[in-house]
């Protein structure tokens, strides 16, 4: 799905990149908008207890922002296999950042959170790092998921079983890994045309009353439903509900999340926008904004009475969106690339197949260069 090119870019034409290397503006836009919602939702957490409307909005946002992000992650994991170069990218782009930021968050909590005894445990993801742990596990089992005849029912079954098994515990945040697994598997099963089907004017128009109804239901559910259901990190028994409520909630929330995610995708611009380039840096915004949110919580920044009023809540939302936008920019990415995208060439041995592919690419480039020289001659 190549990105549309504007007339301005048609001028001063550069050599075209291979179609597979072009980024699709829709997905970059969707990732950026989803990460903004993640940051805004985290900024709402210290404030939502004083406002039923804000709590309702928080509930609606939490019902689809991570599912949308996970579906996109699954979609771009379709080609993952155990090829050495892909395993290296998984280690350097997911495993290493997990180790770095899990350690950094614990050290930060020791100092800023006044908890000097907090242990560093890579088996117990803290705060935002659970997603990196989950993404690593999901990608490692992708070949297995692709071999299953009915992967989505299989993933839903695992999620329902996890929701009635409190004995799973907190190791690697397995509850979240299993309960969010259906969204990742759905992304694995999707094709580009599935996203096209929701990006229509009819769906955009229908999404307005759907979101309005979701806000109304969220407002009604505030005193009646535990928000922790949306975190997918606990079994039903741990939330004080009967065991059978776990599978029912897994299915109900999967359906509601898909509906709202489709409405969200319908409003994502498909053309290149001013924020499209930021979609490539959403992992930076995701991992870095947590330090600011936690610092504000520890330092009492959210305790000011004015912030608990409507104008204050709006100001906090705008500030959170602005901050995470800055954290996705290229200057920030250059500074933190050593932790997010380390090359680590020293840690891996050269793969013969990869070297052969690289030689073939160089030979093809040389042949194209020779052909251009002949044409010019």
């Amino acid at each position: 799905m190549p990105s549309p090119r504007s007339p301005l870019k048609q001028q001063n034409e550069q050599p075209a990149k291979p179609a597979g290397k072009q980024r699709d503006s829709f997905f970059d836009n969707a990732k950026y908008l989803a990460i903004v919602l993640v940051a805004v939702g985290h900024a709402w957490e210290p404030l939502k207890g004083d406002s039923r409307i804000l709590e309702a909005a928080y509930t609606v946002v939490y019902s689809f922002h991570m599912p949308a992000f996970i579906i996109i992650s699954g979609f771009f994991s379709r080609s993952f296999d155990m090829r050495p170069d892909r395993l290296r990218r998984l280690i350097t782009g997911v495993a290493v950042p997990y180790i770095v930021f899990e350690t950094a968050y614990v050290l930060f909590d020791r100092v800023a959170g006044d908890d000097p005894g907090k242990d560093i445990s890579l088996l117990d993801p803290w705060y935002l790092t659970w997603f990196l742990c989950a993404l690593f596990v999901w990608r490692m089992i992708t070949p297995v998921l692709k071999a299953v005849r009915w992967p989505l029912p299989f993933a839903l079954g695992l999620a329902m079983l996890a929701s009635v098994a409190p004995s799973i515990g907190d190791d690697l945040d397995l509850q979240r890994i299993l309960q969010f697994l259906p969204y990742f598997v759905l992304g694995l099963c999707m094709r580009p045309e599935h996203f096209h089907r929701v990006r229509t004017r009819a769906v955009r128009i229908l999404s307005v009353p759907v979101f309005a109804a979701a806000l109304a239901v969220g407002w009604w559910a505030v005193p009646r439903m535990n928000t922790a259901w949306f975190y997918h990190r606990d079994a039903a028994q741990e939330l004080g509900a009967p065991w059978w409520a776990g599978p029912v909630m897994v299915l109900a929330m999967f359906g509601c999340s898909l509906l709202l995610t489709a409405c969200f995708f319908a409003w994502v611009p498909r053309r290149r926008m001013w924020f499209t380039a930021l979609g490539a840096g959403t992992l930076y915004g995701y991992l870095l904004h947590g330090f600011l949110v936690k610092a504000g919580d520890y330092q009492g920044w959210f305790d000011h009475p004015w912030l608990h009023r409507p104008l204050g809540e709006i100001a906090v939302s705008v500030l959170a969106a602005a901050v995470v936008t800055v954290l996705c920019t290229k200057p920030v990415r250059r500074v933190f690339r050593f932790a997010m995208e380390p090359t680590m060439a020293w840690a891996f041995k050269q793969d013969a197949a990869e070297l052969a592919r690289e030689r073939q690419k160089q030979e093809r480039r040389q042949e194209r260069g020779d052909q251009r020289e002949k044409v010019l001659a």
Side-chain angles (χ1 to χ4, degrees), residues 25-294:
S25 297
F26 168 78
F27 290 107
D28 279 336
N29 293 339
K31 289 194 295 181
Y32 167 76
L33 294 174
I35 209 63
V36 167
L37 291 175
V38 170
V40 170
H42 287 152
W44 283 348
E45 285 182 6
L47 307 175
K48 64 185 179 67
D50 297 329
S51 171
R52 187 169 178 177
I53 295 177
L54 189 64
E55 182 94 27
Y58 177 88
T59 299
V60 172
V61 167
Y62 262 72
S63 66
F64 74 89
H65 70 348
M66 285 309 297
F69 214 89
I70 294 169
I71 287 171
I72 293 174
S73 299
F75 179 77
F76 283 103
S77 299
R78 293 173 303 158
S79 61
F80 182 82
D81 53 26
M82 294 300 175
R83 211 170 72 183
D85 58 327
R86 288 174 177 154
L87 286 174
R88 285 200 293 273
R89 285 198 295 271
L90 180 64
I91 292 171
T92 58
V94 179
V96 171
Y98 170 70
I99 294 170
V100 171
F101 278 88
E102 176 66 18
T103 304
Y105 268 115
V106 173
L107 294 177
F108 178 77
D109 192 45
R110 284 182 181 181
V111 177
D114 196 21
D115 187 6
K118 190 175 184 65
D119 294 329
I120 298 175
S121 174
L122 299 180
L123 296 178
D124 187 13
W126 188 71
Y127 197 35
L128 303 178
T129 56
W130 72 267
F131 178 71
L132 291 177
C133 182
L135 185 59
F136 183 86
V137 173
W138 292 333
R139 284 209 173 140
M140 286 297 293
I141 64 173
T142 290
V144 176
L145 295 171
K146 287 166 31 177
V148 174
R149 178 167 295 183
W150 298 293
L152 187 56
F154 173 73
L156 282 170
L158 288 179
M160 289 188 287
L161 289 174
S163 70
V164 298
S167 59
I168 289 179
D170 296 327
D171 289 349
L172 298 178
D173 229 340
L174 278 177
Q175 278 288 354
R176 272 177 164 159
I177 290 175
L178 293 174
Q179 291 194 37
F180 274 117
L181 178 63
Y183 302 99
F184 183 82
V185 172
L186 179 63
L188 284 178
C189 299
M190 292 182 72
R191 296 188 297 273
E193 55 265 29
H194 294 138
F195 292 95
H196 281 295
R197 291 174 186 171
V198 300
R199 289 155 53 186
T200 64
R201 184 178 180 184
V203 177
R204 282 197 296 273
I205 293 173
L206 288 173
S207 67
V208 175
V210 169
F211 272 121
L215 285 170
V217 172
W219 185 87
W220 173 86
V222 165
R224 298 174 176 86
M225 181 179 175
N226 189 343
T227 309
W229 283 108
F230 295 95
Y231 303 150
H232 297 281
R233 67 185 178 198
D234 298 299
Q237 297 92 322
E238 294 173 293
L239 297 177
W243 69 269
W244 53 265
V248 172
M249 289 298 292
V250 166
L251 292 176
M253 294 183 67
F254 184 71
C256 293
S257 296
L258 288 191
L259 178 62
L260 293 176
T261 300
C263 293
F264 168 72
F265 283 150
W267 279 97
V268 172
R270 67 184 70 184
R271 66 184 184 278
R272 188 169 183 81
M273 308 291 288
W274 64 266
F275 53 79
T276 300
L278 302 178
T282 50
L283 186 61
Y284 290 78
Y286 176 79
L287 291 173
L288 294 173
H289 87 274
F291 290 104
L292 299 176
V293 173
K294 282 296 182 183

Side-chain angles (χ1 to χ4, degrees), residues 294-312:
K294 282 296 182 183
D297 195 19
Y298 294 149
Q299 299 299 318
W301 298 346
F302 296 101
D303 295 338
H304 196 286
W306 182 77
L307 296 180
H308 294 258
R309 299 171 186 170
L311 287 178

Side-chain angles (χ1 to χ4, degrees), residues 299-337:
Q299 299 299 318
W301 298 346
F302 296 101
D303 295 338
H304 196 286
W306 182 77
L307 296 180
H308 294 258
R309 299 171 186 170
L311 287 178
E313 293 163 358
I314 293 173
V316 168
S317 304
V318 172
L319 181 61
V323 167
V324 79
T325 297
V326 172
L327 294 178
C328 293
T329 57
K330 285 185 178 180
V332 175
R333 287 156 56 189
R334 280 196 294 268
V335 172
F336 290 97
R337 184 164 288 134

